[in-house]
Amino acid sequence: MSLHIEITDEAREKLEKEKRNNYIAAITTSVLSVILGGAVLYAIAIVVAKPEEPKIVGYTVSEENAPPGDPPPPEVTREQQAASSAQANTAVKVLVANAPAAVSLPVLDIDMPDEPAMLEDGTLDGFGDFGSGLGDGTSAFGGTKAVGSTLEGTFYDTKQTPGGRSTDMDQQKFNEFLISFYKGGWNPSALNKFYKAPQRLYNAQFYIPRCSAEECPKAYNCDDRVKAKYWLAIYRGKVKAPKTGTFRFVGGGDDYLAVRFNNEMVFDYGWQSVATGRMYANNQNLRDALLNKEGNEDLKKELRTIGAMVPPVTFYQYSTSPHWNRNIGGVASGREFKVQAGKVYPIEILISEAPGGEFGTCLLIEEVGLPPMGKDSTGSPLLPLFRTNNGVPKPDKSKEYIPFDEIGPVWESVK
């Protein structure tokens, strides 16, 4: 027979309680052991084994045995010399540390541009100072530096080749070349067969009262090898329209003045025509055709075909320019053209002299439909100059000149 003993509920509860107490005691012992072990390690590594402080040892190094290094910065002092009557010069003295003596730099003389001076012919000597923005300097044929808002000019002598051989140029050959140059779209390569001045000029406006034709070769620094006839100068660049509108050039040249704007010939008037070779001076029939008077229908047709000076052309005469009034009827208006504000357009301006003697040119611009700010005693409007900067020339009013409105739009050049 077997003996079966069954545990009581009280005994079972007591066993469970002891089991829980033992489990808790085991966990607590483990945690305390870890903490105690960490404390022992800290005491050994940090407290017991305290690092020994390093000893600082000083060394004295002689200057000749010292290692290489950067030199100390120099002391700079400035001494002001007494100013001369022309300008004050500044001497700069540099003192270097440990140097046996001071080092003096040379005095730098800086040439400042002078104000443009009026010549006897009404032209300007020098280019002047452009100042801020678009500039305010002017000259007759241009300055030698490409500064400010200007167009670049190139001078050609059609009487000689680039090597200096004669081309046997005469008036008929010169007219024939200009006509072919016009028909060829003003292609620069057509000028390669002629002498080209090394000097370039940069101009902002085209206003040259009557002067010697020698002034242009002088300005381009080639008068020692160029006689003052059968020469031409072309100014090229790009300009930004100052406003939206319809405009036309107004002016004249002695002998030639022509303008190509946005790749189209829009002006061609002076003593002679670039596009036709015809003589406008003292040619009343041709001027009547330009005015679109009755008769001369064949001549009118020819002018309309060419398209540079299309009848009816408006002429303006001024009380201060009887010479131009008498010989070419005053200044004339060219073809109308439209522009948009801020848009950039290519432009080319040709000036030229054929037989020599006197030269002169004047290029104005008129906004179609805009009333002028003032009028001459003849009733002709005072128009602004075509210009690419703020410069305004001052004509010699004791001689003949074309009056103009000093306030007008600036067609800023774009490089």
Side-chain angles (χ1 to χ4, degrees):
M1 92 186 251
S2 62
L3 179 64
H4 178 71
I5 299 175
E6 185 177 3
I7 190 170
T8 63
D9 293 335
E10 182 180 355
R12 184 182 290 108
E13 182 179 352
K14 187 176 180 180
L15 288 173
E16 291 292 335
K17 184 176 181 180
E18 288 179 357
K19 183 179 180 180
R20 285 196 301 271
N21 290 338
N22 293 336
Y23 182 76
I24 292 173
I27 294 176
T28 303
T29 302
S30 299
V31 172
L32 290 175
S33 299
V34 171
I35 294 175
L36 180 60
V40 172
L41 292 175
Y42 176 80
I44 295 173
I46 304 300
V47 178
V48 178
K50 185 177 180 180
E52 182 180 356
E53 293 183 3
K55 296 181 180 181
I56 300 176
V57 181
Y59 294 91
T60 302
V61 181
S62 63
E63 184 175 350
E64 61 179 321
N65 294 326
D70 294 331
E75 298 179 6
V76 180
T77 60
R78 299 181 183 272
E79 296 180 0
Q80 186 71 29
Q81 295 180 344
S84 64
S85 59
Q87 65 181 42
N89 295 327
T90 302
V92 181
K93 181 178 291 185
V94 180
L95 301 181
V96 182
N98 298 326
V103 179
S104 296
L105 297 181
V107 177
L108 301 179
D109 293 328
I110 302 176
D111 295 330
M112 301 301 292
D114 299 325
E115 291 294 326
M118 189 67 66
L119 295 179
E120 188 176 64
D121 294 319
T123 62
L124 292 173
D125 182 19
F127 206 36
D129 181 14
F130 273 93
S132 59
L134 297 178
D136 56 6
T138 58
S139 73
F141 295 95
T144 57
K145 297 181 180 179
V147 294
S149 174
T150 55
L151 304 177
E152 182 180 79
T154 307
F155 178 92
Y156 300 91
D157 180 21
T158 66
K159 301 183 301 299
Q160 56 180 312
T161 66
R165 290 189 302 169
S166 174
T167 60
D168 297 323
M169 186 61 65
D170 57 26
Q171 186 65 58
Q172 182 178 347
K173 290 181 180 179
F174 191 63
N175 287 340
E176 290 173 353
F177 166 74
L178 291 178
I179 293 171
S180 66
F181 183 68
Y182 156 70
K183 292 181 177 179
W186 293 42
N187 191 335
S189 63
L191 296 161
N192 290 342
K193 59 185 176 181
F194 301 125
Y195 168 79
K196 179 173 69 175
Q199 179 68 65
R200 301 289 179 92
L201 293 182
Y202 303 87
N203 213 354
Q205 43 75 28
F206 301 87
Y207 185 83
I208 307 172
R210 294 169 63 191
C211 66
S212 169
E214 297 175 353
E215 292 299 323
C216 192
K218 280 184 182 179
Y220 279 91
N221 198 27
C222 61
D223 54 311
D224 58 336
R225 61 173 297 171
V226 174
K227 294 182 179 179
K229 61 180 181 179
Y230 302 130
W231 57 255
L232 60 95
I234 301 179
Y235 295 80
R236 293 185 172 93
K238 295 179 181 179
V239 293
K240 183 187 300 182
K243 61 186 298 189
T244 298
T246 302
F247 293 84
R248 63 183 182 181
F249 289 103
V250 175
D254 178 5
D255 292 307
Y256 301 85
L257 172 63
V259 181
R260 198 164 183 260
F261 185 87
N262 198 21
N263 301 318
E264 292 186 1
M265 187 110 140
V266 295
F267 185 86
D268 176 22
Y269 193 73
W271 256 244
Q272 288 188 250
S273 166
V274 170
T276 67
R278 290 182 175 274
M279 179 78 71
Y280 287 126
N282 303 313
N283 191 336
Q284 191 60 51
N285 289 334
L286 184 55
R287 294 207 297 272
D288 286 345
L290 291 174
L291 289 166
N292 204 30
K293 291 185 177 180
E294 293 185 4
N296 296 314
E297 296 304 321
D298 292 339
L299 201 50
K300 293 178 188 177
K301 183 178 180 180
E302 178 186 352
L303 293 170
R304 291 190 182 98
T305 301
I306 294 171
M309 304 296 288
V310 179
V313 169
T314 303
F315 285 84
Y316 297 133
Q317 295 188 350
Y318 296 94
S319 57
T320 55
S321 58
H323 178 69
W324 280 26
N325 296 342
R326 181 174 59 254
N327 288 283
I328 60 174
V331 293
S333 64
R335 284 179 52 194
E336 296 180 2
F337 56 92
K338 298 181 182 294
V339 295
Q340 296 180 4
K343 189 174 180 180
V344 177
Y345 301 88
I347 187 171
E348 299 162 276
I349 300 172
L350 181 151
I351 61 175
S352 178
E353 173 63 32
E358 289 186 343
F359 174 80
T361 191
C362 175
L363 185 61
L364 311 169
I365 193 164
E366 180 180 22
E367 183 174 358
V368 178
L370 182 68
M373 295 291 291
K375 292 186 177 181
D376 186 61
S377 61
T378 60
S380 295
L382 298 181
L383 303 174
L385 288 173
F386 171 75
R387 52 184 177 150
T388 62
N389 67 26
N390 296 317
V392 177
K394 298 185 182 301
D396 183 354
K397 295 185 178 181
S398 66
K399 300 179 181 180
E400 290 193 21
Y401 68 98
I402 302 293
F404 57 86
D405 179 12
E406 295 188 2
I407 301 176
V410 173
W411 299 69
E412 180 185 358
S413 70
V414 178
K415 303 301 182 185

